[in-house]
Amino acid sequence: MLQKYFDELKCADWTSSSLFDAETVLEQSKLFAFHPAVRELHGYVLDDEKTSNHHFLTTVEPLAGGVFFLSHDGDSRMVFESVTDFLDSVRKAQAEGLSVSDLHPRLSPVARDQAALANFIHALHRQECNDLIVSLLPSLDLGDLPLLQLLANDDDFFLGEAVAMEIEKRPSKALLPIAITCADHVHPQVSVAGSRALRRIKQLL
Protein backbone atom coordinates (compact mmCIF):
# COMPACT_ATOMS: atom_id res chain seq x y z
CA MET A 1 0.00 0.00 0.00
CA LEU A 2 2.74 2.45 0.94
CA GLN A 3 4.81 1.21 -1.97
CA LYS A 4 1.89 1.88 -4.31
CA TYR A 5 1.88 5.46 -3.11
CA PHE A 6 5.64 5.79 -3.66
CA ASP A 7 5.21 4.34 -7.16
CA GLU A 8 2.55 6.94 -8.00
CA LEU A 9 4.78 9.63 -6.56
CA LYS A 10 7.55 8.70 -8.99
CA CYS A 11 5.27 9.23 -11.98
CA ALA A 12 5.35 13.03 -11.70
CA ASP A 13 7.62 15.89 -10.70
CA TRP A 14 6.72 17.00 -7.19
CA THR A 15 9.76 19.16 -6.55
CA SER A 16 7.69 22.31 -5.96
CA SER A 17 5.03 20.65 -3.85
CA SER A 18 4.68 20.04 -0.13
CA LEU A 19 4.88 16.27 -0.52
CA PHE A 20 7.60 14.32 1.25
CA ASP A 21 9.87 11.96 -0.62
CA ALA A 22 9.92 8.31 0.44
CA GLU A 23 12.76 8.75 2.94
CA THR A 24 11.13 11.76 4.59
CA VAL A 25 7.78 9.98 4.81
CA LEU A 26 9.40 7.25 6.88
CA GLU A 27 11.35 9.71 9.04
CA GLN A 28 8.37 11.95 9.75
CA SER A 29 6.07 9.00 10.43
CA LYS A 30 8.40 7.85 13.19
CA LEU A 31 8.28 11.33 14.73
CA PHE A 32 4.48 11.28 14.69
CA ALA A 33 4.16 7.72 16.01
CA PHE A 34 3.20 9.10 19.45
CA HIS A 35 -0.05 10.55 18.08
CA PRO A 36 -3.10 8.30 18.68
CA ALA A 37 -4.48 8.80 15.16
CA VAL A 38 -1.17 7.94 13.51
CA ARG A 39 -0.61 5.05 15.90
CA GLU A 40 -4.07 3.46 15.71
CA LEU A 41 -4.50 3.98 11.95
CA HIS A 42 -0.91 2.85 11.23
CA GLY A 43 -0.40 6.11 9.43
CA TYR A 44 2.39 7.44 7.22
CA VAL A 45 2.76 11.21 7.09
CA LEU A 46 2.77 12.41 3.48
CA ASP A 47 3.22 16.17 3.47
CA ASP A 48 3.86 19.46 5.20
CA GLU A 49 2.25 22.68 3.98
CA LYS A 50 3.83 24.67 6.84
CA THR A 51 0.47 24.91 8.61
CA SER A 52 0.97 22.33 11.40
CA ASN A 53 -1.57 20.17 9.54
CA HIS A 54 -0.68 16.99 7.68
CA HIS A 55 -2.20 14.36 5.44
CA PHE A 56 -1.32 10.77 6.18
CA LEU A 57 -1.94 7.43 4.54
CA THR A 58 -3.91 4.98 6.67
CA THR A 59 -2.86 1.35 6.40
CA VAL A 60 -5.15 -0.39 8.88
CA GLU A 61 -8.55 -1.85 7.99
CA PRO A 62 -11.27 -0.80 7.52
CA LEU A 63 -9.78 2.50 6.35
CA ALA A 64 -6.65 1.16 4.67
CA GLY A 65 -5.60 3.07 1.58
CA GLY A 66 -7.43 6.26 2.50
CA VAL A 67 -5.94 9.62 3.37
CA PHE A 68 -6.59 11.20 6.77
CA PHE A 69 -6.19 14.91 7.51
CA LEU A 70 -4.54 15.54 10.86
CA SER A 71 -5.52 19.07 11.86
CA HIS A 72 -4.17 20.96 14.86
CA ASP A 73 -7.49 22.79 15.27
CA GLY A 74 -9.45 19.58 15.83
CA ASP A 75 -11.15 19.10 12.46
CA SER A 76 -9.30 15.87 11.76
CA ARG A 77 -11.05 13.32 9.52
CA MET A 78 -10.73 11.07 6.49
CA VAL A 79 -10.70 13.28 3.41
CA PHE A 80 -9.73 11.09 0.45
CA GLU A 81 -10.73 7.53 -0.29
CA SER A 82 -7.45 6.76 -2.05
CA VAL A 83 -3.96 8.13 -2.62
CA THR A 84 -4.91 8.65 -6.26
CA ASP A 85 -7.65 11.07 -5.20
CA PHE A 86 -5.20 12.75 -2.87
CA LEU A 87 -2.52 13.18 -5.53
CA ASP A 88 -5.09 14.48 -8.02
CA SER A 89 -6.01 17.16 -5.48
CA VAL A 90 -2.33 17.96 -4.87
CA ARG A 91 -1.90 18.52 -8.62
CA LYS A 92 -4.98 20.73 -8.80
CA ALA A 93 -4.00 22.73 -5.72
CA GLN A 94 -0.52 23.26 -7.10
CA ALA A 95 -1.88 24.41 -10.47
CA GLU A 96 -4.35 26.83 -8.90
CA GLY A 97 -2.17 28.15 -6.11
CA LEU A 98 -4.35 26.62 -3.40
CA SER A 99 -3.79 24.53 -0.32
CA VAL A 100 -4.83 20.90 -0.62
CA SER A 101 -7.15 21.45 2.33
CA ASP A 102 -9.07 23.94 0.19
CA LEU A 103 -10.06 20.99 -1.99
CA HIS A 104 -11.23 18.67 0.77
CA PRO A 105 -14.75 17.33 0.15
CA ARG A 106 -17.41 18.76 2.44
CA LEU A 107 -18.27 15.25 3.60
CA SER A 108 -15.76 12.51 4.30
CA PRO A 109 -15.78 9.37 2.17
CA VAL A 110 -17.90 6.74 3.89
CA ALA A 111 -16.04 3.55 4.74
CA ARG A 112 -17.01 0.64 2.52
CA ASP A 113 -17.08 -1.89 5.36
CA GLN A 114 -19.34 -0.25 7.92
CA ALA A 115 -19.49 -3.27 10.20
CA ALA A 116 -15.70 -3.36 10.45
CA LEU A 117 -15.57 0.39 11.14
CA ALA A 118 -18.21 0.02 13.87
CA ASN A 119 -16.16 -2.77 15.47
CA PHE A 120 -13.05 -0.61 15.24
CA ILE A 121 -14.84 2.30 16.94
CA HIS A 122 -16.12 -0.03 19.68
CA ALA A 123 -12.52 -1.15 20.29
CA LEU A 124 -11.35 2.46 20.42
CA HIS A 125 -14.17 3.24 22.83
CA ARG A 126 -12.99 0.51 25.19
CA GLN A 127 -9.49 2.04 25.00
CA GLU A 128 -10.97 5.51 25.62
CA CYS A 129 -9.47 6.84 22.37
CA ASN A 130 -12.34 9.30 22.15
CA ASP A 131 -10.56 12.00 20.16
CA LEU A 132 -9.95 9.52 17.36
CA ILE A 133 -13.57 8.31 17.50
CA VAL A 134 -14.70 11.91 16.92
CA SER A 135 -12.47 12.01 13.84
CA LEU A 136 -13.87 8.73 12.50
CA LEU A 137 -17.57 9.53 12.90
CA PRO A 138 -17.67 11.33 9.52
CA SER A 139 -16.71 7.99 7.91
CA LEU A 140 -19.80 6.24 9.32
CA ASP A 141 -22.96 6.02 7.23
CA LEU A 142 -24.93 6.68 10.46
CA GLY A 143 -26.87 3.45 10.03
CA ASP A 144 -25.70 1.79 13.26
CA LEU A 145 -28.19 3.37 15.67
CA PRO A 146 -27.08 1.41 18.77
CA LEU A 147 -23.51 2.63 18.27
CA LEU A 148 -24.66 6.23 17.83
CA GLN A 149 -26.86 5.92 20.93
CA LEU A 150 -23.94 4.55 22.92
CA LEU A 151 -21.75 7.49 21.92
CA ALA A 152 -24.49 10.06 22.43
CA ASN A 153 -24.97 8.84 26.01
CA ASP A 154 -21.27 8.69 26.86
CA ASP A 155 -19.94 10.72 29.78
CA ASP A 156 -17.52 12.39 27.36
CA PHE A 157 -19.72 15.15 25.94
CA PHE A 158 -17.42 15.58 22.93
CA LEU A 159 -18.71 12.25 21.61
CA GLY A 160 -22.34 13.32 21.91
CA GLU A 161 -21.57 16.65 20.29
CA ALA A 162 -19.78 14.93 17.41
CA VAL A 163 -22.74 12.59 16.84
CA ALA A 164 -25.13 15.54 16.76
CA MET A 165 -22.92 17.45 14.34
CA GLU A 166 -22.82 14.51 11.94
CA ILE A 167 -26.61 14.18 12.08
CA GLU A 168 -26.93 17.86 11.29
CA LYS A 169 -24.75 17.37 8.20
CA ARG A 170 -26.58 14.21 7.09
CA PRO A 171 -30.08 14.24 8.58
CA SER A 172 -32.56 11.42 8.13
CA LYS A 173 -35.85 10.42 9.75
CA ALA A 174 -34.23 7.27 11.16
CA LEU A 175 -31.86 9.44 13.21
CA LEU A 176 -34.66 11.27 15.04
CA PRO A 177 -34.29 9.25 18.32
CA ILE A 178 -30.54 9.94 18.41
CA ALA A 179 -31.06 13.64 17.74
CA ILE A 180 -33.60 13.78 20.58
CA THR A 181 -31.10 12.12 22.93
CA CYS A 182 -28.51 14.73 22.01
CA ALA A 183 -30.95 17.64 22.30
CA ASP A 184 -31.96 16.45 25.80
CA HIS A 185 -28.34 16.06 26.95
CA VAL A 186 -27.36 17.78 30.19
CA HIS A 187 -24.26 19.33 28.67
CA PRO A 188 -24.98 22.46 26.59
CA GLN A 189 -22.44 21.65 23.89
CA VAL A 190 -24.34 18.46 23.12
CA SER A 191 -27.82 19.87 23.58
CA VAL A 192 -27.17 22.88 21.33
CA ALA A 193 -25.72 20.67 18.58
CA GLY A 194 -28.55 18.20 19.14
CA SER A 195 -31.16 20.92 18.75
CA ARG A 196 -29.64 21.94 15.43
CA ALA A 197 -29.69 18.31 14.29
CA LEU A 198 -33.31 17.99 15.41
CA ARG A 199 -34.31 21.04 13.39
CA ARG A 200 -32.64 19.61 10.28
CA ILE A 201 -34.53 16.34 10.66
CA LYS A 202 -37.86 18.09 11.24
CA GLN A 203 -37.34 19.87 7.93
CA LEU A 204 -37.55 16.42 6.31
CA LEU A 205 -40.81 15.41 8.03
Side-chain angles (χ1 to χ4, degrees), residues 58-125:
T58 62
T59 62
V60 68
E61 295 296 347
L63 300 167
V67 175
F68 185 96
F69 184 59
L70 185 61
S71 172
H72 73 281
D73 66 5
D75 191 25
S76 301
R77 62 187 177 100
M78 297 296 297
V79 289
F80 298 110
E81 189 172 19
S82 68
V83 293
T84 301
D85 292 342
F86 169 62
L87 291 176
D88 286 344
S89 292
V90 171
R91 292 186 184 95
K92 185 175 180 180
Q94 200 166 285
E96 299 180 8
L98 300 172
S99 168
V100 179
S101 60
D102 294 328
L103 301 178
H104 287 171
R106 187 179 73 85
L107 298 177
S108 294
V110 172
R112 295 183 182 183
D113 190 339
Q114 286 290 305
L117 179 57
N119 288 336
F120 186 52
I121 289 175
H122 276 293
L124 292 173
H125 190 246

Side-chain angles (χ1 to χ4, degrees), residues 48-200:
D48 183 359
E49 292 188 303
K50 309 304 180 185
T51 61
S52 300
N53 302 325
H54 303 274
H55 294 87
F56 70 79
L57 172 67
T58 62
T59 62
V60 68
E61 295 296 347
L63 300 167
V67 175
F68 185 96
F69 184 59
L70 185 61
S71 172
H72 73 281
D73 66 5
D75 191 25
S76 301
R77 62 187 177 100
M78 297 296 297
V79 289
F80 298 110
E81 189 172 19
S82 68
V83 293
T84 301
D85 292 342
F86 169 62
L87 291 176
D88 286 344
S89 292
V90 171
R91 292 186 184 95
K92 185 175 180 180
Q94 200 166 285
E96 299 180 8
L98 300 172
S99 168
V100 179
S101 60
D102 294 328
L103 301 178
H104 287 171
R106 187 179 73 85
L107 298 177
S108 294
V110 172
R112 295 183 182 183
D113 190 339
Q114 286 290 305
L117 179 57
N119 288 336
F120 186 52
I121 289 175
H122 276 293
L124 292 173
H125 190 246
R126 290 191 292 271
Q127 299 169 39
E128 298 184 352
C129 292
N130 292 351
D131 287 347
L132 182 52
I133 292 174
V134 168
S135 297
L136 296 183
L137 287 179
S139 299
L140 286 173
D141 65 6
L142 304 184
D144 190 334
L145 300 187
L147 173 57
L148 297 179
Q149 193 73 255
L150 172 70
L151 299 176
N153 286 317
D154 194 89
D155 290 338
D156 184 346
F157 66 85
F158 285 114
L159 292 177
E161 181 186 33
V163 168
M165 290 171 65
E166 287 306 312
I167 295 175
E168 183 184 7
K169 293 175 190 174
R170 296 176 283 159
S172 74
K173 297 176 183 178
L175 293 169
L176 181 59
I178 313 299
I180 291 173
T181 295
C182 293
D184 290 342
H185 200 280
V186 295
H187 198 286
Q189 276 188 232
V190 185
S191 61
V192 170
S195 295
R196 290 199 304 266
L198 202 52
R199 284 195 295 272
R200 291 281 285 122

